Amino acid sequence: MKEMKMKGIKMIRMRKRNWVLLLAVCLNTVSVCAQFSRQDYSLNPEQLKKVQIAYSKTTSIVFPYPVKSIDKGSSDVLVQKAKGVENIVLLKAAKHDFITTNLTVVTADNRLYVFMLMYDEACPDLNVRADLSAVVNEEVLFSKENDNQKKIEQYAALALSKKKKISGLNRSRFEIQLRVTGIFIHQDMLYFRLAMGNRSKISYDIDQLRFFIRDQRKSKRTASQEIEILPIYCTSVLSAVPDQSELTQVYAVSKFTIPEKKYLTVQLIEKNGGRQIEVDIKNNDLINVEILNSY
């Protein structure tokens, strides 16, 4: 009886020893994994893409996809998206000789960019193209509203490649022409294909291209309300239409209809110039759209 009792005590001690060893192994594994994780995802400032910005000049960073999120590390830096486009970020120093800080940008293709911002009044980088050297993580998860970004790009490209063209939606002034050559739809997105031509000898620098719904033409004394429609995506970013040329691109917007006695106006505005041109689209033009077939 005494021997059985002794054996029972030994078994209990062995079990306790085994549990202690198992716990030690688990803790060691967690420690190793934590170290591994820190080593994999830590950011070395020396390896980050450096961008010099100034107080009296504006630096632009051009991304390959629309920008979805921007975060700056210091209030000493001014940051905003360029007006009318989705893939250009504008930077400027809010004070002279600010302490080096960082800029974090998330784009629609699930990529995270991190830049080191440094002050340089004499020789800043005025035009920076974001490339893979600034990408630190490609596993960004968006909310459901951004899940279809790739599909929007695919159907915009499909609309661009369609051969069939509509007529009647065009305007020409000052040897500048704006034409709506196609209106397409797929699910909840409308795709407008626009052709911008320049037959003059002077390059047409684009300030912005706008979509807005407004009242039908009235007397100048009557107030007119405008409802602006912001494109979600465009197939390319145009800064100018060179002389003697024509460029075509597609703009994607959330679907809508035009209320009675109103127009959808597409407006092209010249930068530092007066060659402004507009095309009005009626509700009938919008209803008779071409359906883009699924891939």
Side-chain angles (χ1 to χ4, degrees), residues 89-104:
V89 173
L90 304 179
L91 300 170
K92 205 170 188 178
K95 60 178 288 187
H96 294 278
D97 298 315
F98 66 81
I99 298 173
T100 298
T101 185
N102 69 300
L103 176 73
T104 303

Side-chain angles (χ1 to χ4, degrees), residues 48 97 108 146 151 164 186 204 255 269 271 284:
L48 297 180
D97 298 315
N146 294 305
K151 286 187 177 180
K164 184 179 178 180
H186 177 75
Y204 188 95
K255 70 177 182 180
I269 302 174
K271 186 176 182 179
N284 288 339

